[in-house]
Amino acid sequence: MGIVFLLFSGCGAFKTGEFKISGRVTEADGREGIAGVKIYYEKNYYSARYVWTDSSGYWSIWADENDRLLIWAEKAHHMFQPAPAKFTVDGKRDNINFQVVGWSDNFSDPNSGWVEDSYAKFIKDGTGEDLYEILVTGVGSSVKVTAPMVMPTSYTLGVTGYTADVLPDVGGMYGIVFNVYSFSPGDYYYVFRVRPGDAYYELVKVEILSNGYTDSTTILEGPNSIFTDSGINILEVRVNWNKVELCVNNEVVDSTTNFLPHDSSFVQAGLYAYAEAKSSHTVRFDDFNLSAIGFSPRWKVMGVMSSEQLLHKDLEIKE
């Protein structure tokens, strides 16, 4: 029995192509390549196909002259620019590059890099929603958990949070810790925290003392009716070097230039919970989003990660 090969022509989606189209996916500094990124491409409006980036972030496909290409990059938790690249082929191209401009986490993947221990963990609520929970015990104590990414001195960071206390003798505030270089004595960081039940927010600068204590100074504070009745609120900080805007539920509630940046190319930020005049406080977070030009996985910049570096608990002293 003979074997018959059928060759089809005129179907652009199956052509090898005469021109190589290639590029690289990198961190936002353009130097560090990212492996394992899916590069999707649509050729002449046919269904999308994809190739993978190699260990150095490089990828390539083939196309013919006048092919219309739509190309974009995808990887879990990451956002890339351009989104998408769109052009008509007129020859070889080797500069279709994508860079990370954002990182997000809905806490459905316990391996996304957040620390887990007795104070912080991934959970599912009663409806099956994936969340990240922080428990603070001890009056005046706070827990900070930094994200597995570091960022430059200008960035936007947002997260959804709510109090999950069920007993009457517990309570406190929650929010975002940011502008963190380290949790070592003599260093400092900032916290945007809220008490939704009282429609109250504040920005505090926290100086790290020895022996597990910190000294906090209030920079901004006030009531605002923007908090939701459900208790679930979207918090956001927009940092532009020495200026900070505080947002609740997508509206700016305050801003200041009374903000001291670190003398460093990269800083850390993350989640925060504070037990205020009660015995403990439980907070749950969802939909963490970071946008910046120039950030990287934390271990590439700050050294080897450890639970001590990612999570910090101390006792705060008000000014």
Side-chain angles (χ1 to χ4, degrees):
M1 178 182 291
I3 299 176
V4 177
F5 292 94
L6 298 178
L7 300 178
F8 295 91
S9 62
C11 184
F14 298 98
K15 287 183 180 178
T16 300
E18 58 182 319
F19 295 114
K20 185 178 182 180
I21 309 298
S22 62
R24 194 179 186 215
V25 181
T26 64
E27 307 294 351
D29 60 11
R31 295 192 295 268
E32 187 77 24
I34 304 177
V37 178
K38 276 186 178 180
I39 303 297
Y40 284 92
Y41 63 97
E42 289 182 6
K43 186 187 296 185
N44 298 326
Y45 308 110
Y46 284 93
S47 298
R49 306 176 77 182
Y50 65 86
V51 295
W52 295 93
T53 58
D54 64 17
S55 59
S56 299
Y58 290 101
W59 63 272
S60 65
I61 61 173
W62 291 84
D64 285 323
E65 187 170 6
N66 295 321
D67 277 347
R68 288 168 294 227
L69 290 179
L70 188 69
I71 306 175
W72 66 97
E74 288 188 9
K75 186 174 184 178
H77 307 296
H78 294 69
M79 291 172 277
F80 300 96
Q81 285 286 359
K86 184 178 182 180
F87 59 94
T88 299
V89 176
D90 57 4
K92 174 185 175 181
R93 289 203 185 190
D94 59 5
N95 61 348
I96 310 302
N97 301 318
F98 298 92
Q99 293 181 319
V100 176
V101 295
W103 191 85
S104 63
D105 198 349
N106 63 3
F107 301 114
S108 61
D109 178 10
N111 297 313
S112 59
W114 296 88
V115 69
E116 285 195 277
D117 72 356
S118 58
Y119 296 112
K121 60 184 178 181
F122 290 83
I123 68 162
K124 287 185 181 291
D125 66 8
T127 66
E129 183 76 15
D130 294 300
L131 302 166
Y132 190 77
E133 182 179 88
I134 296 179
L135 168 65
V136 192
T137 58
V139 176
S141 295
S142 66
V143 170
K144 282 77 61 177
V145 184
T146 54
M149 307 293 288
V150 295
M151 59 225 66
T153 53
S154 294
Y155 54 91
T156 296
L157 188 157
V159 70
T160 299
Y162 67 91
T163 297
D165 297 321
V166 295
L167 299 176
D169 61 340
V170 296
M173 294 193 282
Y174 66 86
I176 297 171
V177 58
F178 63 104
N179 197 42
V180 180
Y181 182 74
S182 77
F183 290 115
S184 300
D187 218 329
Y188 64 92
Y189 55 86
Y190 288 82
V191 175
F192 172 35
R193 59 190 182 186
V194 300
R195 192 189 309 116
D198 296 329
Y200 175 80
Y201 70 87
E202 65 181 10
L203 173 68
V204 296
K205 180 184 179 184
V206 182
E207 298 184 49
I208 304 169
L209 309 177
S210 60
N211 301 320
Y213 287 85
T214 60
D215 184 12
S216 62
T217 302
T218 302
I219 307 297
L220 295 172
E221 62 179 328
N224 197 289
S225 60
I226 197 65
F227 292 97
T228 65
D229 293 336
S230 69
I232 301 174
N233 294 280
I234 303 171
L235 307 184
E236 185 178 78
V237 293
R238 302 170 183 171
V239 183
N240 186 8
W241 186 54
N242 68 341
K243 180 180 179 180
V244 180
E245 289 185 340
L246 311 178
C247 304
V248 177
N249 296 322
N250 303 311
E251 292 194 25
V252 177
V253 296
D254 220 331
S255 64
T256 183
T257 54
N258 185 13
F259 180 77
L260 181 62
H262 284 286
D263 185 18
S264 173
S265 299
F266 289 91
V267 293
Q268 304 170 71
L271 308 174
Y272 171 93
Y274 175 57
E276 181 183 41
K278 302 289 181 180
S279 62
S280 67
H281 188 38
T282 302
V283 180
R284 291 174 178 174
F285 294 96
D286 198 3
D287 297 328
F288 181 92
N289 292 283
L290 168 65
S291 297
I293 301 300
F295 64 89
S296 299
R298 189 179 186 278
W299 63 269
K300 291 184 179 179
V301 178
M302 308 298 289
V304 179
M305 287 191 293
S306 70
S307 295
E308 182 179 358
Q309 291 173 315
L310 286 168
L311 184 147
H312 190 73
K313 184 177 186 292
D314 54 36
L315 187 64
E316 294 189 17
I317 305 172
K318 293 289 287 185
E319 61 178 339

